[in-house]
Amino acid sequence: MDKSIKPSATSRKSGKKSLLEREDFLAYLFIAPPVLLITIFLFYPVANVFYHGFQHHNLMRPWVDGFAGFDNFVNIFTNDNVFRSSLVISLQWVVAQVSLQLIFGMIVALLLNNAFRLRGLVRTIMFYPWAISGVLTAMMWNMMYQQHVGVINAILLDFGIIESHIAWLANPDFVLGSVIIAGVWRGIPFFAIMILARLQTISADIYEASDVDGASSIQKFVHITLPHLKESIVLATLLRTVWEFNAVDLIMNLTNGGPARLTTTLTMYIVNTAVTDQNFGYGSALATVSFIILLLFAIIYLKASKFGQEE
């Protein structure tokens, strides 16, 4: 009499194990290309910058090239006055950019969250500044800031706000504020997009219940809207802080760090040192310090804001 042959428990486990191993191999095989690309185009350049930060590598003075140890970093914190001034300007730039972009982005998002005619068209127009490059933005604002033919001076003169033409990008009293305004105009749509996307996930039932309880518009904003927006705001401000700290295209094309280094941020100083002066060793050391500053800020900010933690 024929008897059916049943696989043993050991063979079944062996078959499952080999299947899992095959699936794991395929998973690693699929993620290998992006991991390789990230290693080549991200981790290697970063490691290379760290390496050159400990070297004397100046194409203008090749006879002094060699291992520098901590000399570059000691010089940065003890003798480099430009580093200190550029770091202060960077802090001013970042605080002004992020805070103003957040405020105006919040206002735009709240307005666009309401239903009205042609809302889709208005949203497209409001998001337009985010779609254009920093170089094009700089060209547009540079023409508007022109002392004699710029539209900004023309408008202010017509309304009697100023009495004579102002060289907005050459006057030490106005240059940093002028560049900040151009940067804010470009960055508002990012906050608006992030906040608007989160606003659309808030249930209307919550606001209807608050209306029944007699809550005012301010109370609904403070106790309903803001708590729901916390995660989006924290993430958006962190991203914009990093991006604005590293921003160079807009400033370079508007003022190139001038006049008298009044718009030379730390990133601009790094670019001028490494690219213009071709002092790659000292420029790499500056870039390493900049990286550490941003890393510490991100860690402290995320810890203080309790990002990703349940309330």
Side-chain angles (χ1 to χ4, degrees), residues 134 207 301:
Y207 291 105
Y301 183 65

Side-chain angles (χ1 to χ4, degrees), residues 22-100:
R22 187 162 59 250
E23 291 178 349
D24 290 343
F25 174 76
L26 289 175
Y28 287 122
L29 184 64
F30 283 131
I31 67 174
V35 170
L36 181 62
L37 291 175
I38 292 174
T39 302
I40 294 175
F41 294 105
L42 179 61
F43 291 125
Y44 173 73
V46 171
N48 198 37
V49 169
F50 287 164
Y51 168 77
H52 280 92
F54 293 93
Q55 305 290 322
H56 289 302
H57 186 190
N58 190 341
L59 296 184
M60 297 296 183
R61 303 175 61 193
W63 57 87
V64 300
D65 287 358
F67 181 69
F70 289 94
D71 290 351
N72 288 329
F73 298 96
V74 172
N75 188 53
I76 288 173
F77 291 105
T78 58
N79 301 320
D80 196 341
N81 294 326
V82 180
F83 166 75
R84 288 189 284 270
S85 64
S86 64
L87 182 58
V88 171
I89 294 173
S90 289
L91 294 177
Q92 294 174 341
W93 166 265
V94 170
V95 171
Q97 287 290 317
V98 176
S99 58
L100 291 176

